[in-house]
Amino acid sequence: MGVKALDYESLNENVKEVQYAVRGELYLRASELQKEGKKIIFTNVGNPHALGQKPLTFPRQVIALCQAPFLLDDPNVGQLFPADAIARARHYLSLTPGGLGAYSDSRGLPGIRKEVAEFIERRDGYSSDPELIFLTDGASKGVMQILNCIIRGQGDGVLVPVPQYPLYSATISLYGGSLVPYYLEESANWGLDVNNLRESVAQARFNGITVRAMVIINPGNPTGQCLSEANLREVLNFCHRENLVLLGDEVYQQNIYQDERPFISSRKVLMDMGQPISKEVQLVSFHTVSKGYWGECGQRGGYFEMTNIPPKTVDEIYKISSISLSPNVPAQIFMGLMVNPPKAGDISYEQYVRESKGILESLRRRARMMTDGFNSCKNVVCNFTEGAMYSFPQIRLPPKAIEASKNAGKVPDVFYCLKLLEATGISTVPGSGFGQKEGVFHLRTTILPAEEDMPEIMSSFKKFNDEFMEQYEAVKI
Amino acid sequence: MAPPVTVNTINPKVIECEYAVRGEIVILAQKLQDEIKIKLEAHPFEEILYCNIGNPQSLGQQPITFFREVLALCDHPPLLDKSETQGLFSKDSIQRARKILDQIPGRATGAYSHSQGIKGLRDTIAAGIEARDGFPADPNDIFLTDGASPAVHMMMQLLIRSEKDGILCPIPQYPLYSASIALHGGTLVPYYLDEATGWGLEVSDLKKQLEAAKSKGIDVRALVVINPGNPTGQVLAEENQKEIVKFCKEEGLVLLADEVYQENVYVRKKKFHSFKKVSRSMGYDEKDIHLVSFQSVSKGYYGECGKRGGYMEITGFGADVREHIYKLASVNLCSNISGQILASLVMSPPKAGDESYESYISERDGILSSLARRAKTLEDAFNKLEGVTCNKAEGAMYLFPRINLPEKAIKAAGEAKTAPDAFYCRRLLTETGIVFVPGSGFRQVPGTWHFRCTILPQEEKIPAVVTRLTDFHKRFMNEFRD
């Protein structure tokens, strides 16, 4: 008998080509070492609760009540749960005929989509249509769904920032499209230059690619930059001129660590720009419960909002959603709670504010600590983390280190990160996993380790790095 | 300039695929429901009776108490430190929640887990599989997913390289398969279940369809078997399963065993046997057969559709292939943790001696016996209708009666530009509020017409369903009798 259907040779080539470094080689090696008993500090993924961040109390109280509605019938429930959590649980249960165990509308529960629309309206000052908001099992599923609609074949290109979060490169690979890179300017704080966009599009078209969409990640991952309003206007004008659908990955919109550039949504800027552009540019915006100060990654809750997408296309997107029946209901409730948190006067309000502020202020401090810590290291240059959850220092590897990595059969930043891992237990993701300019190396780490652990982590890194640099600079050429 | 994302410019595979379970008829039903909300007299019925989708809890089925207790405690672990909790939760649910939390790194239910799912939970599931089958299961073979459907998509992604790759699917089938194959650009190779023999699966037909596909240049890669069947409800006899396994081994096909209804068996003479058990009992091991088995928390007696919990167990694949499966799983990071926990509970429910055992058994058996009764009542009702024959629902959650539509009705359908079974279902909906899914959504032998009806409306609503359906059918046949 010849080759069997799931032998390696006969796998879908697109699958073979997919790369997702966030849980790739470094992570697997770190897991191995952990099994052997080594203490590992996982900074490879934006996974706050895994590094000790606590869930916010109020949402967990509400969801527990929704999960076990028999509690609501018990006269003693008030001893375990505050009255506003009880009321909110009743509210969400009233929105779901059948409770948490029934498939909802394939777009998500109408009542919760309405809450999301109201949140968007409060945030941006423009009304939002719940019918154009689809809840998904995490924002990633939404991104994959939309890209699947856009990519018809290899001839279709999607503009993606470099460096980027590798969900985009992986998905474009999987669906057989073409990734059209546009480079962010490291020397300008990872700024987005429209000239780079123009160049990339021209190059792609020259190669016969039809550029269909543009991804922006704002705040950026792994780079953390927050786009200015002017920048967003340039991008929207660009998309309008070049006939691109803009995919606005805004999952880190609540993670802002400087005051010069607060978060402003792509949709708000688009609406501010008025007609005709506000009615013509196609935009899909993504958000999640996994980031911000909630960090509820394990719930898998997200949504996308469509702007200026024609009704027939929305129908097709709905059809795809319906094949998976519905997003998970508990996460939908998390989303409702996130966009509609306790208000001033509610019993749980002060606790909610205290917990949230505590997390956000700590993240801001850790962003600063990490940036400064990296900048104090030999041959390391690090832009400030303006937003999101990561630090993306540039590691200037000496020529002899690059040579050594080649001899070891490893990409230079992978080589460095593996050595870092083995020496210190710090598990990062090499910059090559995100894309970078040729010959320039980085690594991505999160700013999520506990604040009290940060000084030790940074000094441990500095010790390793400075010794590494000395070792490879001292080698006689 | 035309905007980039219009129906003329989106991925044509998206346009091509279809999913009738939430298709046209259901969209219309929702519209009618909204109209009744505004004005009760808008239609000749007061409520829509959704019999289109296997969504038990939306129609009043209650969740299993023990499962919800454990999940609530895992959702909010501080409850475990409060003394009042002892009075509100069963002792064994508290114990189980503690055990599960200990298996989760940092007790963090809000963190992304291992991309295959939390190891301790996979251990529990593997033990559950072993207890069920009598053959060992490896936790590393298990991938926890947001429901069984994403796991099916993952396998189609792996298997389909181009439209030259074919997947054998039963006709009638659950339209996830046809939709997924279309979406991934492959070719569905049909094999026909035999209605006359209770939807029997003949290996000779499998062979015939395989050869026909090969002669057309199709590389057939896998065989989908849904057992118990959806929409057809048959439970395969063990001998039949052995033939199927042997066929897959000989032809080098991946066996994709959709076993999500494994706990829904209503006839005493049939029993569920997993394909894993059958393969191992034939002496076939990892070298002999590629097998992927799908299970879900959405069906059975637990019916937890909204949780999106499930898994696939993959056996017989080389390490290099498993690496790629893992990689695909990792792009989405992981499935939702609550669903993972629930999958482990479903595969290892309370045992004799546990505090919750009695109430658990009583809830479980109550639901299953009620499902069996409803299946029988509706089967009998369908068989009494003129021109309608209905096979028994041995398992799953559906009936799939066949209707011999008069020529006049078929002609009227043609004029209305709909398939005859869709025409019937639409009329049924607008006159009675009952929602069935037309058989054409599941595919059927050409020239035959069916519709799928779930057995899920609450027992007290079943008489209303039967009466309205019977009266409608009489009127319809009178109108269109040749």
Side-chain angles (χ1 to χ4, degrees):
Chain A
M1 203 207 330
V3 174
K4 286 199 281 201
L6 264 180
D7 287 346
Y8 182 75
E9 307 83 72
S10 57
L11 278 189
N12 181 353
E13 284 302 317
N14 289 346
V15 169
K16 287 192 220 173
E17 270 171 40
V18 167
Q19 298 293 324
Y20 186 71
V22 174
R23 281 214 160 155
E25 188 182 347
L26 252 299
Y27 172 72
L28 292 170
R29 179 72 187 125
S31 303
E32 263 170 37
L33 289 170
Q34 186 181 48
K35 275 203 198 99
E36 291 167 18
K38 190 175 170 71
K39 176 162 162 29
I40 304 293
I41 302 146
F42 284 99
T43 71
N44 59 306
V45 98
N47 197 10
H49 294 201
L51 289 155
Q53 183 177 308
K54 296 268 165 277
L56 300 173
T57 307
F58 185 73
R60 291 305 188 99
Q61 290 172 324
V62 174
I63 207 73
L65 287 166
C66 291
Q67 192 79 260
F70 64 81
L71 292 169
L72 292 168
D73 299 328
D74 194 295
N76 292 325
V77 66
Q79 289 171 6
L80 275 179
F81 297 90
D84 54 354
I86 294 169
R88 195 72 87 92
R90 288 195 201 281
H91 161 71
Y92 285 117
L93 286 172
S94 77
L95 294 180
T96 113
L100 266 52
Y103 294 127
S104 71
D105 183 305
S106 298
R107 296 161 290 192
L109 292 162
I112 293 185
R113 283 153 54 219
K114 184 159 167 286
E115 288 184 327
V116 172
E118 287 163 358
F119 154 76
I120 293 170
E121 187 165 345
R122 284 192 306 272
R123 182 193 68 191
D124 295 346
Y126 294 99
S127 70
S128 174
D129 184 357
E131 296 300 291
L132 296 174
I133 295 168
F134 284 31
L135 305 180
T136 51
D137 286 315
S140 298
K141 286 243 168 90
V143 168
M144 294 182 82
Q145 193 174 334
I146 297 297
L147 283 172
N148 189 35
C149 285
I150 293 170
I151 296 171
R152 295 164 299 186
Q154 227 179 346
D156 283 337
V158 180
L159 273 163
V160 175
V162 178
Q164 47 98 45
Y165 173 52
L167 166 69
Y168 294 97
S169 45
T171 304
I172 292 165
S173 235
L174 205 50
Y175 295 144
S178 291
L179 190 152
V180 179
Y182 67 90
Y183 289 85
L184 301 174
E185 280 302 329
E186 185 160 13
S187 56
N189 246 13
W190 296 115
L192 198 166
D193 186 345
V194 173
N195 293 315
N196 284 348
L197 287 179
R198 286 200 196 104
E199 249 177 66
S200 300
V201 171
Q203 181 70 51
R205 285 178 182 157
F206 179 76
N207 291 332
I209 306 272
T210 305
V211 185
R212 310 252 287 147
M214 173 173 175
V215 174
I216 56 169
I217 310 173
N218 181 37
N221 176 5
T223 47
Q225 86 287 7
C226 298
L227 295 175
S228 67
E229 186 174 347
N231 231 177
L232 284 166
R233 279 177 181 254
E234 284 182 308
V235 167
L236 287 160
N237 273 322
F238 181 78
C239 289
H240 188 228
R241 239 190 349 264
E242 303 296 340
N243 200 28
L244 308 174
V245 53
L246 181 62
L247 306 180
D249 178 339
E250 299 176 335
V251 302
Y252 296 101
Q253 59 186 267
Q254 289 166 327
N255 299 104
I256 310 292
Y257 311 126
Q258 40 71 39
D259 302 316
E260 293 77 35
R261 271 177 304 287
F263 173 74
I264 177 167
S265 79
S266 305
R267 189 160 187 277
K268 176 175 188 342
V269 176
L270 179 62
M271 293 301 131
D272 283 346
M273 289 167 87
Q275 295 192 39
I277 190 171
S278 61
K279 285 240 183 289
E280 290 178 1
V281 171
Q282 293 184 327
L283 166 66
V284 185
S285 313
F286 301 89
H287 198 12
T288 181
V289 303
S290 300
K291 311 299 177 192
Y293 47 90
W294 278 55
E296 290 278 11
C297 302
Q299 308 301 339
R300 313 318 277 111
Y303 74 75
F304 61 85
E305 183 201 16
M306 297 175 280
T307 303
N308 297 329
I309 307 291
K312 284 211 178 105
T313 307
V314 174
D315 287 345
E316 293 297 325
I317 294 171
Y318 168 77
K319 185 179 68 178
I320 300 298
S321 296
S322 75
I323 300 170
S324 299
L325 288 150
S326 95
N328 89 72
V329 177
Q332 295 186 42
I333 293 175
F334 270 91
M335 181 58 81
L337 287 162
M338 189 180 86
V339 299
N340 192 9
K343 295 183 196 32
D346 292 353
I347 296 167
S348 302
Y349 177 70
E350 278 179 25
Q351 174 191 73
Y352 182 84
V353 169
R354 189 181 5 104
E355 289 174 351
S356 310
K357 270 181 85 177
I359 291 166
L360 274 176
E361 285 169 359
S362 173
L363 283 168
R364 192 180 263 239
R365 288 191 295 270
R366 283 179 274 169
R368 180 46 71 192
M369 282 167 82
M370 234 178 191
T371 307
D372 291 346
F374 282 129
N375 278 319
S376 78
C377 297
K378 198 170 164 41
N379 292 340
V380 179
V381 174
C382 189
N383 281 335
F384 177 62
T385 297
E386 298 184 349
M389 284 179 176
Y390 311 96
S391 190
F392 198 64
Q394 183 186 143
I395 316 288
R396 293 181 173 159
L397 293 168
K400 279 294 170 188
I402 295 176
E403 198 185 310
S405 71
K406 286 203 172 76
N407 293 338
K410 298 273 178 214
V411 170
D413 49 20
V414 174
F415 178 77
Y416 177 93
C417 290
L418 280 169
K419 291 235 174 278
L420 168 68
L421 170 65
E422 285 175 16
T424 66
I426 300 171
S427 175
T428 57
V429 188
S432 41
F434 303 87
Q436 49 205 352
K437 287 208 171 111
E438 183 80 40
V440 183
F441 304 106
H442 305 78
L443 57 81
R444 187 188 82 165
T445 170
T446 67
I447 60 171
L448 299 174
E451 217 173 322
E452 57 266 24
D453 296 339
M454 273 296 188
E456 203 199 308
I457 291 171
M458 293 320 290
S459 74
S460 175
F461 176 86
K462 184 170 164 65
K463 180 166 183 287
F464 160 80
N465 175 77
D466 290 359
E467 280 171 13
F468 180 97
M469 294 304 170
E470 270 173 43
Q471 178 192 349
Y472 286 99
E473 279 179 341
V475 177
K476 299 261 186 293
I477 295 167
Chain B
M1 194 173 13
V5 184
T6 68
V7 277
N8 298 320
T9 55
I10 63 173
N11 183 354
K13 298 185 205 129
V14 166
I15 306 285
E16 200 194 305
C17 82
E18 280 170 349
Y19 185 71
V21 175
R22 278 201 160 164
E24 205 187 305
I25 295 276
V26 183
I27 292 170
L28 175 59
Q30 281 155 353
K31 180 164 165 286
L32 299 180
Q33 186 170 43
D34 291 338
E35 286 167 13
I36 295 172
K37 270 204 194 101
I38 299 170
K39 185 161 164 257
L40 194 60
E41 309 80 29
H43 295 282
F45 46 85
E46 279 178 11
E47 59 171 339
I48 301 285
L49 289 164
Y50 287 100
C51 303
N52 60 304
I53 180 174
N55 194 11
Q57 293 192 28
S58 75
L59 293 166
Q61 181 175 306
Q62 293 302 300
I64 299 294
T65 306
F66 177 77
F67 295 164
R68 291 301 190 91
E69 286 180 299
V70 175
L71 289 171
L73 291 167
C74 292
D75 276 333
H76 191 44
L79 288 170
L80 291 167
D81 302 325
K82 300 218 165 89
S83 57
E84 293 93 335
T85 301
Q86 316 283 345
L88 282 164
F89 290 81
S90 63
K91 209 164 76 189
D92 51 348
S93 72
I94 292 171
Q95 238 169 8
R96 183 75 79 99
R98 286 195 204 281
K99 175 165 176 242
I100 289 169
L101 287 167
D102 285 342
Q103 292 173 325
I104 300 177
R107 299 164 76 83
T109 53
Y112 293 126
S113 72
H114 185 288
S115 294
Q116 284 178 241
I118 292 158
K119 176 65 170 41
L121 299 177
R122 283 184 281 131
D123 289 342
T124 303
I125 292 170
I129 293 171
E130 184 166 345
R132 181 193 67 194
D133 294 345
F135 291 96
D138 183 348
N140 294 321
D141 289 343
I142 294 168
F143 285 71
L144 283 154
T145 48
D146 291 305
S149 299
V152 170
H153 280 299
M154 230 191 285
M155 292 314 300
M156 294 306 174
Q157 190 114 59
L158 249 83
L159 287 165
I160 297 170
R161 296 162 296 185
S162 74
E163 72 269 11
K164 287 213 170 359
D165 284 328
I167 312 283
L168 273 160
C169 285
I171 301 297
Q173 48 99 48
Y174 173 52
L176 163 68
Y177 293 97
S178 45
S180 188
I181 292 165
L183 215 46
H184 293 107
T187 295
L188 190 153
V189 178
Y191 67 89
Y192 293 87
L193 300 174
D194 189 2
E195 187 157 14
T197 61
W199 298 114
L201 200 166
E202 294 301 319
V203 173
S204 54
D205 188 59
L206 287 180
K207 279 205 175 79
K208 192 171 116 208
Q209 302 302 339
L210 174 63
E211 294 310 317
K214 275 187 187 161
S215 70
K216 292 200 205 107
I218 303 285
D219 188 353
V220 181
R221 314 259 283 157
L223 168 68
V224 172
V225 180
I226 310 173
N227 182 45
N230 176 6
T232 45
Q234 83 287 10
V235 176
L236 294 174
E238 206 173 344
E239 277 315 304
N240 209 183
Q241 287 182 276
K242 288 186 177 164
E243 293 175 318
I244 293 164
V245 169
K246 192 150 166 283
F247 174 74
C248 288
K249 177 178 188 296
E250 285 165 1
E251 302 293 342
L253 301 176
V254 177
L255 177 51
L256 300 174
D258 178 339
E259 300 178 329
V260 303
Y261 295 100
Q262 57 187 264
E263 306 244 29
N264 299 102
V265 178
Y266 311 125
V267 293
R268 239 167 287 226
K269 62 178 162 84
K270 288 281 183 70
K271 222 181 135 240
F272 169 76
H273 303 285
S274 77
F275 270 102
K276 172 111 174 301
K277 178 173 112 173
V278 170
S279 310
R280 296 291 178 267
S281 71
M282 293 165 77
Y284 291 159
D285 65 15
E286 305 258 336
K287 298 186 277 44
D288 298 302
I289 178 155
H290 291 316
L291 170 62
V292 183
S293 313
F294 303 96
Q295 166 61 319
S296 168
V297 306
S298 301
K299 311 300 177 190
Y301 55 87
Y302 20 92
E304 295 274 26
C305 302
K307 300 298 180 58
R308 311 319 278 115
Y311 68 79
M312 64 178 178
E313 183 195 10
I314 61 171
T315 55
F317 299 103
D320 45 8
V321 172
R322 295 164 64 93
E323 231 177 77
H324 287 283
I325 299 176
Y326 168 83
K327 185 181 62 177
L328 269 190
S330 77
V331 176
N332 195 48
L333 287 147
C334 72
S335 65
N336 84 78
I337 306 302
S338 187
Q340 292 187 31
I341 294 172
L342 183 53
S344 79
L345 293 169
V346 159
M347 295 307 287
S348 104
K351 293 190 200 23
D354 293 351
E355 178 184 318
S356 302
Y357 181 69
E358 298 286 335
S359 57
Y360 157 77
I361 287 291
S362 147
E363 287 176 358
R364 181 194 75 177
D365 291 350
I367 289 166
L368 286 174
S369 56
S370 172
L371 284 167
R373 283 193 299 272
R374 285 178 269 169
K376 188 78 180 58
T377 305
L378 286 168
E379 178 204 332
D380 290 345
F382 282 123
N383 277 314
K384 288 204 179 82
L385 300 178
E386 178 190 346
V388 176
T389 53
C390 187
N391 280 335
K392 186 174 225 31
E394 297 183 331
M397 288 178 175
Y398 314 97
L399 288 162
F400 198 64
R402 178 175 168 181
I403 178 168
N404 281 322
L405 287 163
E407 270 311 308
K408 224 169 132 197
I410 295 175
K411 192 152 164 280
E415 279 159 19
K417 291 201 182 24
T418 48
D421 47 17
F423 179 77
Y424 180 93
C425 288
R426 202 170 208 276
R427 286 284 295 261
L428 175 70
L429 168 61
T430 53
E431 290 182 29
T432 68
I434 297 172
V435 190
F436 289 169
V437 186
S440 32
F442 304 87
R443 312 222 182 163
Q444 49 209 342
V445 169
T448 67
W449 311 108
H450 302 76
F451 42 80
R452 189 186 80 167
C453 163
T454 72
I455 60 174
L456 300 175
Q458 284 303 285
E459 247 176 305
E460 58 272 16
K461 287 234 151 68
I462 297 283
V465 174
V466 171
T467 310
R468 286 199 223 170
L469 168 67
T470 308
D471 291 345
F472 162 81
H473 189 81
K474 276 204 194 94
R475 289 197 307 274
F476 184 92
M477 294 305 270
N478 284 340
E479 185 182 338
F480 291 102
R481 192 166 290 113
D482 295 319

